[in-house]
Amino acid sequence: MSSGDQHDLGSALRALRIASGLTGATVARRASMSAGKLSKIENGRILPNLVDVELVLTALEVSDEAKAELLRAARAAVTESTAWRALRRMGPWKHQQAIQAVESQTRHLRLFQGQLIPGLLQTPDYISSIFSMPPAMTPAAQAKTVAARLERQKILYQKGRSFEFLICEHVLRWLICDPYAMAVQLDRLISLSRLPSVSIGVIPLNRRMPDFPMTCFVINDDRLVVVETFHAEVSTRDTKDIAYYLSIFDNFGQVALYGAEMCELVERIRDDFLTQRESG
């Protein structure tokens, strides 16, 4: 997208906001972003990503036609990447709030994890251990980030939503926190798997893999895929990309364990952690 296109998009968003009669502060709050960021978008000083544009348009309650037109304008670069260092600069807890805003508009969420237990399923100790890893946060920033991630988990209990999680077995065995805290975390997985809206599959080490678990990704309905790499968060709304990730998810789902088999495997790993704690 050229700087001219960037300015035109910002101007269009500003015009829609003014026509709605809403203040910038109100729209920014509804879109889970700062008023300063919204102002920079409207004035063409920063390029909003697709998620930003959709959140603003949803906050403005524009028609489906207007939303589609502006998203097409923002989709000049279909795949977008936001470096983790940029997300850290804005505040990790604000990134959690932005994720929550996207999740609040999602009815069916699918998540594949080959790195960590999914954030929506994490215990406070597990979350704290993750955000204790480099780069270091201040205690205040860590506390706000943990609280923001826990706040996101309330969506698991909302009616009319469904969640599918696929987790590689090795993820459950990695010692992210102390053995007892890991055991508690695995107990939480078993407990959450019993929610009617939640499906948890574990991909066991002893089954033939259908593909390489190169990275983790989340599919929000059939409209947005967000992929995490070491250096950045990459999002795409391209229909072919989304179809590709859906097929990857389905392929891994076919070799996963569910229900009683999944619980038995998780319980064995949990018991290994408890034995490790006792022997230590």
Side-chain angles (χ1 to χ4, degrees):
M1 182 178 288
S2 69
S3 59
D5 292 336
Q6 178 176 326
H7 182 76
D8 290 344
L9 177 60
S11 297
L13 292 173
R14 184 175 67 252
L16 285 171
R17 179 183 59 76
I18 293 172
S20 74
L22 297 173
T23 65
T26 298
V27 173
R29 184 175 64 254
R30 291 182 180 180
S32 297
M33 66 177 64
S34 68
K37 179 177 179 179
L38 178 61
S39 176
K40 290 177 181 177
I41 290 172
E42 290 185 347
N43 289 290
R45 297 204 302 272
I46 63 172
L47 174 64
N49 59 37
L50 293 173
V51 172
D52 289 334
V53 174
E54 182 166 27
L55 289 174
V56 170
L57 294 175
T58 300
L60 291 171
E61 299 181 344
V62 301
S63 67
D64 290 341
E65 292 79 10
K67 180 181 285 189
E69 181 178 349
L70 282 165
L71 284 174
R72 278 195 297 270
R75 202 172 285 132
V78 174
T79 301
E80 300 177 349
S81 174
T82 305
W84 290 116
R85 61 181 179 275
L87 295 173
R88 287 193 289 269
R89 281 198 300 270
M90 82 172 186
W93 63 91
K94 292 182 181 178
H95 183 224
Q96 292 297 308
Q97 292 168 348
I99 296 172
Q100 183 178 21
V102 174
E103 289 170 344
S104 71
Q105 299 172 22
T106 301
R107 311 308 297 180
H108 186 187
L109 184 146
R110 305 171 183 88
L111 192 150
F112 174 84
Q113 258 293 3
Q115 300 169 352
L116 293 168
I117 289 171
L120 289 173
L121 309 178
Q122 293 170 1
T123 63
D125 284 342
Y126 193 93
I127 299 171
S128 295
S129 294
I130 292 170
F131 290 118
S132 295
M133 295 178 181
M137 292 186 197
T138 65
Q142 181 175 327
K144 287 195 287 187
T145 305
V146 171
R149 178 161 288 185
L150 290 172
E151 180 68 20
R152 284 174 49 205
Q153 297 179 2
K154 293 180 179 178
I155 199 171
L156 295 174
Y157 304 93
Q158 294 179 4
K159 293 181 179 179
R161 302 185 192 274
S162 58
F163 305 86
E164 294 183 64
F165 300 96
L166 289 177
I167 310 169
C168 296
E169 179 184 341
H170 65 260
V171 170
L172 308 182
R173 296 184 179 277
W174 282 345
L175 198 63
I176 302 300
C177 40
D178 70 74
Y180 181 74
M182 286 299 304
V184 172
Q185 171 64 80
L186 297 187
D187 270 336
R188 177 160 175 76
L189 279 187
I190 294 170
S191 176
L192 290 175
S193 72
R194 299 190 176 105
L195 291 176
S197 61
V198 174
S199 168
I200 298 178
V202 174
I203 303 162
L205 293 171
N206 62 359
R207 288 195 175 179
R208 182 74 175 267
M209 289 294 97
D211 207 331
F212 296 107
M214 292 184 291
T215 186
C216 65
F217 60 88
V218 59
I219 307 170
N220 296 276
D221 296 320
D222 294 334
R223 59 185 175 82
L224 171 68
V225 174
V226 180
V227 183
E228 293 185 357
T229 70
F230 273 103
H231 79 287
E233 184 179 82
V234 180
S235 61
T236 178
R237 292 180 182 277
D238 183 89
T239 54
K240 292 182 179 178
D241 289 341
I242 293 171
Y244 178 63
Y245 278 98
L246 284 168
S247 69
I248 293 173
F249 191 89
D250 289 342
N251 288 341
F252 277 110
Q254 290 175 20
V255 300
L257 300 178
Y258 297 92
E261 285 186 304
M262 182 276 293
C263 290
E264 289 173 7
L265 174 58
V266 176
E267 286 169 353
R268 288 199 300 271
I269 300 172
R270 176 205 61 194
D271 291 345
D272 288 343
F273 280 123
L274 292 174
T275 301
Q276 184 178 342
R277 181 199 186 208
E278 293 169 359
S279 63

